[in-house]
Amino acid sequence: MARRCRGRGPGRQAAGGRTLAEEIRKVHAESGGAYGSPRVTAGLRVRERRVNGKRVARIMRTFSITGIRLRRRVRTTVPDPAASPVPDLFQRDFTAGEPGRKYVGGITYLPLAGGKFLYLATVLDCFSRKAADWSVAGHMRTSLVADALRMAARTRGGLDGAVFHSDHGAQYGSRAFARLCDQPGVTRPMGAVGTSADNAACESFHASLKRETLHGTLDYGDYGTCRRTVFAWLTRYNSHRRHSAIGHLSPDEYERRHHTAKLTLAA
């Protein structure tokens, strides 16, 4: 009898592993195949599945459920030697106590078929990691980053008194961009030249975008497909993608909870 009982244990354990693997596959698929074990674990717990993160990681390895790693980089930060120096007020602190106070921005390339590129400029809120807004174009002129900042100002209801941090790209150091920032009173710090860690929040965001939309392929194909794919990811990022820095909530949900808590305290 004891032998038979011991024999059932591994069978039940294997069945439980297969059941959990199917649940993991569903969460993984909903992320577009992007989530690693920490975010998958958070997704399972939201579904009221009590599970250990180490077990999730182990089962993902066993069943070959993995994310996608990023490939080569293309340089998009070209400093302007004639630009006036701008101090780094962030000192690699990409956190904020309130939304709408601290933003980061940067440019990344979007590879197309035939060796061509589009370029994406983004504006991220440090409080929630929300993509406040963005701009896509076939060039890296100042108008690319200026359009992204203008869109963010409209989306967020203004940027008065905010701080906007960027790298030392010529676009961000231009007089035209400085004038744009001066209009609503945006302070404009920059990271160190050639140091990606000084704009790490934006670098990480762009890396996630390409890892989760390219899925290991070399390019997005044509212009229209690229824009649609990136727009869909940005929308999903704000509304559904779980972020480890904000308790594995989506940026929209994190901001909703913050506003609800403030209203509760005010009442």
Side-chain angles (χ1 to χ4, degrees), residues 34-162:
Y35 283 0
S37 60
R39 289 191 176 91
V40 167
T41 302
L44 291 169
R45 287 173 178 168
V46 166
R47 299 176 183 213
E48 300 185 354
R49 181 68 151 91
R50 299 176 66 180
V51 65
N52 182 279
K54 291 182 179 179
R55 187 179 181 214
V56 171
R58 186 169 63 250
I59 288 178
M60 288 181 72
R61 287 194 300 270
T62 300
F63 288 86
S64 299
I65 306 171
T66 61
I68 301 167
R69 298 186 182 279
L70 189 62
R71 60 185 192 91
R72 67 182 179 90
R73 291 168 55 88
V74 170
R75 189 184 185 198
T76 54
T77 303
V78 182
D80 180 357
S84 300
V86 178
D88 180 3
L89 304 179
F90 270 36
Q91 296 297 313
R92 301 186 184 181
D93 178 10
F94 298 103
T95 61
E98 291 282 336
R101 297 287 184 256
K102 291 170 66 176
Y103 293 91
V104 293
I107 302 173
T108 194
Y109 72 97
L110 303 172
L112 304 178
K116 297 180 181 179
F117 295 96
L118 285 177
Y119 298 93
L120 170 72
T122 50
V123 178
L124 307 178
D125 192 311
C126 289
F127 172 74
S128 61
R129 300 300 198 273
K130 182 183 178 76
D133 227 306
W134 54 85
S135 177
V136 177
H139 61 78
M140 289 196 297
R141 295 191 291 273
T142 299
S143 59
L144 173 67
V145 297
D147 286 346
L149 193 67
R150 289 191 191 98
M151 292 293 290
R154 283 198 287 270
T155 301
R156 300 301 257 176
L159 299 176
D160 296 7

Side-chain angles (χ1 to χ4, degrees), residues 191-226:
V193 177
T195 305
S196 61
D198 283 346
N199 203 24
C202 205
E203 294 275 344
S204 175
F205 174 82
H206 290 154
S208 295
L209 182 154
K210 283 185 278 190
R211 183 176 61 248
E212 296 175 16
T213 54
L214 282 171
H215 298 289
T217 60
L218 295 176
D219 58 66
Y220 292 98
D222 58 30
Y223 176 91
T225 301
C226 179

Side-chain angles (χ1 to χ4, degrees), residues 169-199:
Q171 304 87 347
Y172 293 109
S174 68
R175 291 180 180 177
F177 191 74
R179 286 195 297 269
L180 178 64
C181 289
D182 288 342
Q183 292 170 11
V186 174
T187 305
R188 198 170 47 101
M190 288 183 175
V193 177
T195 305
S196 61
D198 283 346
N199 203 24

